[in-house]
Amino acid sequence: MHLTYNMVGKSVRLSRILKSDGRAVVFAFDHGVEHGPSDFPPEHVDPRVIIGKVVEAGVDAIMMLPGIARITWDLWGNKTALIIKVTSKTNLRPRDERLLQSVFGYVEEAVALGADAVAATVYWGSQYEDRMLQQWFAVRNEAESYGLPCLQLAYPRGPAIPNRYDVEIVRYGARAAAESGADLIKTYYTGSLETFKQVVEAASGVPVLMSGGPRREKEVDFLRDVKNVLEAGGRGVVVGRNVFQHKNPTGMMKAVIGVVHEDLEPEEAVKKYLEK
Ligand code: FBP
């Protein structure tokens, strides 16, 4: 039996993100909306500067909002895969409403931009979970017809969730992401190899990528988290702040790639790419 056209499209596009070793390093760059431009060091407020650096480092894919893709296309086009995020929110909102991600673009726009995947956030446990699920299934349904894989940022957070990094909570979100048809899952690191293994198991074979999180003081600590994720069966990392807030983003991105694709130990990666 032959595969359907959209199954072929999805496989081809996924293979541009997850490399031949089944792993991926994705640069997350939606912070200008999610956190505001104060997240960026002054030299990286211009998206073209940092995008140029991570492309030069050899990142596998970049996840960004449609407007930034338009401004930077000549830098990443034909060089890295593109994941267009079609939901977002600002921190300018009242605190309670930050638990809702709104529509921030359309699948058709992602296709028009040449995307290899679309991404959308679901805050599992939020009082707005129902609205985000409606958005998620609308995105997923349309993406499916174009053969576009869907990355879910499966982020449990809400009034009933005291600790969003708790393994029970994170694995619940990962399982819910798998059950809602995600092709790739991006979620929080739970702090250890053993606990992250449970997250990967709950995702039942859907590839899980670690979400970078706030900048770690020592790069080796971040690289060790990435290594643990891989040893737990995770497929890589979607990293933003730990790269663009680093004084040497190109070196830091290369070090992350070294751990993910070259199987370097964190200390070796630091020596090879950051201490030269
Ligand atoms: P980082 O590596 O900087 O954590 O980026 C991952 C990410 O999910 C971004 O895509 C997003 O802008 C940000 O984290 C969301 O952060 P927060 O946890 O503050 O909502």
Side-chain angles (χ1 to χ4, degrees):
M1 202 179 66
H2 292 294
L3 298 175
T4 59
Y5 290 172
N6 39 12
M7 283 161 89
V8 172
K10 216 187 229 193
S11 304
V12 168
R13 292 184 176 95
L14 265 180
S15 73
R16 295 187 190 132
I17 299 168
L18 294 168
K19 296 302 173 177
S20 52
D21 56 8
R23 294 175 173 177
V25 177
V26 180
F27 181 56
F29 198 59
D30 55 341
H31 304 69
V33 175
E34 296 269 330
H35 296 161
S38 62
D39 231 24
F40 307 126
E43 68 275 21
H44 293 143
V45 173
D46 178 349
R48 295 182 59 81
V49 176
I50 185 70
I51 298 279
K53 289 179 185 173
V54 297
V55 169
E56 183 202 329
V59 72
D60 299 319
I62 305 178
M63 183 188 79
M64 54 191 147
L65 296 164
I68 293 291
R70 181 174 67 168
I71 295 167
T72 59
W73 70 273
D74 53 315
L75 300 171
W76 50 260
N78 283 326
K79 295 195 181 99
T80 64
L82 173 67
I83 303 174
I84 289 292
K85 187 160 175 262
V86 292
T87 68
S88 203
K89 62 106 181 69
T90 70
N91 275 347
L92 298 171
R93 288 180 181 183
R95 191 160 285 280
D96 268 6
E97 287 167 40
R98 294 181 204 163
L99 291 169
L100 170 68
Q101 288 253 331
S102 303
V103 171
F104 210 87
Y106 296 99
V107 173
E108 275 180 6
E109 293 175 341
V111 174
L113 286 161
D116 298 291
V118 285
T121 300
V122 179
Y123 293 143
W124 295 102
S126 151
Q127 59 270 43
Y128 304 109
E129 185 187 274
D130 177 63
R131 270 164 74 180
M132 284 174 283
L133 281 175
Q134 289 184 33
Q135 281 166 204
W136 166 258
F137 282 106
V139 167
R140 200 195 161 278
N141 191 38
E142 207 178 346
E144 194 71 26
S145 67
Y146 286 109
L148 267 184
C150 282
L151 165 72
Q152 185 179 119
L153 288 82
Y155 285 2
R157 58 179 76 174
I161 297 178
N163 175 11
R164 61 176 75 154
Y165 304 105
D166 181 325
V167 59
E168 280 310 322
I169 299 291
V170 178
R171 78 189 193 109
Y172 196 156
R175 179 53 169 254
E179 296 209 21
S180 57
D183 299 299
L184 292 166
I185 299 169
K186 168 180 190 281
T187 195
Y188 309 130
Y189 180 55
T190 46
S192 70
L193 194 163
E194 294 69 32
T195 53
F196 206 78
K197 227 181 213 167
Q198 296 177 49
V199 176
V200 172
E201 272 164 19
S204 316
V206 179
V208 179
L209 303 168
M210 164 191 165
S211 183
R215 168 91 198 277
R216 300 289 295 263
E217 214 172 294
K218 290 196 196 137
E219 51 269 270
V220 75
D221 291 339
F222 179 73
L223 296 171
R224 201 166 293 122
D225 295 347
V226 174
K227 187 81 181 175
N228 283 342
V229 162
L230 298 170
E231 286 181 357
R235 304 285 208 92
V237 60
V238 185
V239 52
R241 285 165 286 182
N242 276 281
V243 167
F244 67 67
Q245 291 177 353
H246 195 279
K247 62 182 184 310
N248 175 4
T250 312
M252 185 60 186
M253 185 51 98
K254 283 185 177 169
V256 175
I257 295 169
V259 170
V260 173
H261 290 306
E262 298 168 43
D263 269 330
L264 294 182
E265 289 302 321
E267 296 75 11
E268 288 176 315
V270 169
K271 205 172 255 171
K272 184 166 175 189
Y273 295 114
L274 292 162
E275 288 178 0
K276 279 190 296 182

